[in-house]
Amino acid sequence: MSTPTTKKTGLFFVAFALVALVFAGVFSYFADSDPDGLDSATLKGCEVVETDAGEELTGDCIAKNAKDHDLADGPLADYAVGGDDRFTGVAGVLGVVGTLVVAGGLFWVLRRRPAKQADSRDE
Amino acid sequence: MHMSDGLINAPTSLIFGGVAVIGMAVAMVGARRDLDDRTAPMAGLVAAFVFATQMLNFPILPGVSGHLLGGALAAILAGPYVGALCVGIVLVVQALVFADGGLTALGANITNMAIIGTAAGYLVAVALRSVATRSKTGLAAVAFLAAFLNTVIASLGFVLEFAIGGDAAFSLGGVTATMVGLHALIGIGEGIITALTVTAVAAARPDLVHLLRGTEKPLEIRSAA
């Protein structure tokens, strides 16, 4: 009972999903790795110095108060896979799929449904 | 615009954690009337698209980047309540799975990007709805402006939180000027991405653009609520 309209909607949804997957899976390799606006604002006054132990901040800035993320050792932390950012695209695709499942699932549960009596009726 | 833990103190984090929980609960109640068999999958895809696009940091100044927040985009496509949930879910996934945005800062981040940003973007879009429904250019202009203000006003959310519970050794005026200045530039990028996305969806499926509903609405049988 796939009418032309539902088929067209399905095609649109597939296309929209593919765009998101290409953005996260491919374009993400070309993203600018510089700090974003908020990070730049909180880093103002500091220099970021590369050390053996990782990045360290010298000087005086708000970001010195920042704590490491509690889940920084997670398998997909920092959009990498096991800390390897050659797999950013893989992490991105997993993120898109995960977000779609969580959000789509919640929205599907929350959606308005036809009145009870109409449930057994065919649309 | 994801803040790490430690930038604002614990009581302030707790307050905005409460704001976020209440805001998301209100959004869940309000979202119901905008979700049906057709718009629910669309809304899930909008959230996934916001996640993907947030990964694409673009340069705004030497050494400074920005990325889409997505509140205006999600609200224009899916409505304000669903839109706030889309951005909120993205922020939760990012904090829990990708270590992007602190855990105690999650409430403040949701407040800024999912609640304040989405509300600002949606209010601008609705105020200019007659322009948006007039032509494709009108829709693009409204989407751009809504997204631009979404970014700038969301950055003021951080300023508010920092004023309440940040390190008082740093001048609030300086933080405000830097945040607003940088996010005005990021807002231009947000505006362009939002305008392109909204006009592309509107060209293919205007019925799936929440802001345009009522203008080309297909027949719908609704039970008295």
Side-chain angles (χ1 to χ4, degrees):
Chain A
M1 59 153 257
S2 134
T3 65
T5 322
T6 58
K7 205 169 172 186
K8 225 178 121 198
T9 304
L11 279 177
F12 175 81
F13 287 163
V14 169
F16 199 14
L18 283 177
V19 171
L21 289 170
V22 169
F23 278 15
V26 182
F27 290 10
S28 56
Y29 286 99
F30 303 97
D32 188 341
S33 58
D34 285 324
D36 74 3
L38 187 144
D39 287 335
S40 301
T42 57
L43 281 167
K44 212 175 176 192
C46 282
E47 291 272 334
V48 182
V49 184
E50 297 285 345
T51 66
D52 292 342
E55 290 182 346
E56 263 180 38
L57 300 179
T58 62
D60 197 23
C61 64
I62 298 165
K64 275 201 156 175
N65 296 325
K67 297 192 185 82
D68 281 340
H69 201 285
D70 294 317
L71 303 174
D73 296 327
L76 296 177
D78 293 324
Y79 303 91
V81 177
D84 189 338
D85 57 18
R86 285 177 303 173
F87 296 108
T88 289
V90 176
V93 166
L94 292 173
V96 166
V97 173
T99 304
L100 182 59
V101 168
V102 173
L106 175 71
F107 296 143
W108 192 251
V109 170
L110 288 177
R111 81 194 192 283
R112 276 187 293 115
R113 269 157 271 205
K116 275 254 154 69
Q117 294 98 320
D119 271 358
S120 55
R121 226 173 37 191
D122 230 306
E123 280 183 29
Chain B
M1 199 191 280
H2 304 56
M3 64 171 101
S4 311
D5 288 332
L7 300 182
I8 56 171
N9 61 27
T12 312
S13 302
L14 206 61
I15 292 170
F16 285 97
V19 172
V21 168
I22 294 168
M24 290 294 99
V26 169
M28 274 200 221
V29 175
R32 291 197 59 125
R33 64 157 200 228
D34 287 332
L35 293 167
D36 57 31
D37 286 2
R38 201 171 45 98
T39 54
M42 175 65 181
L45 286 165
V46 169
F49 182 81
V50 169
F51 175 89
T53 312
Q54 282 209 3
M55 286 183 77
L56 309 181
N57 282 59
F58 46 84
I60 56 159
L61 286 176
V64 186
S65 74
H67 63 75
L68 180 93
L69 305 184
L73 172 66
I76 291 170
L77 291 179
Y81 300 107
V82 176
L85 289 174
C86 286
V87 180
I89 289 165
V90 167
L91 294 171
V92 170
V93 169
Q94 287 169 330
L96 296 183
V97 182
F98 297 94
D100 187 12
L103 297 182
T104 62
L106 182 56
N109 283 328
I110 287 177
T111 303
N112 298 343
M113 290 181 266
I115 300 175
I116 298 177
T118 307
Y122 183 70
L123 290 175
V124 172
V126 163
L128 298 172
R129 198 165 162 221
S130 60
V131 180
T133 54
R134 203 172 298 158
S135 67
K136 195 182 168 188
T137 317
L139 178 63
V142 169
F144 178 91
L145 193 64
F148 174 80
L149 288 169
N150 148 42
T151 311
V152 174
I153 294 173
S155 80
L156 289 173
F158 172 73
V159 172
L160 172 72
E161 287 136 18
F162 193 76
I164 297 172
D167 189 339
F170 296 92
S171 111
L172 193 61
V175 172
T176 310
T178 310
M179 280 300 282
V180 172
L182 292 177
H183 287 91
L185 295 174
I186 296 171
I188 295 171
E190 173 117 20
I192 293 169
I193 296 169
T194 303
L196 288 173
T197 307
V198 169
T199 50
V201 174
R205 294 298 302 265
D207 58 309
L208 290 175
V209 179
H210 186 277
L211 188 68
L212 301 181
R213 264 191 229 169
T215 50
E216 292 178 66
K217 190 163 186 135
L219 280 177
E220 186 184 335
I221 298 155
R222 209 180 267 210
S223 60

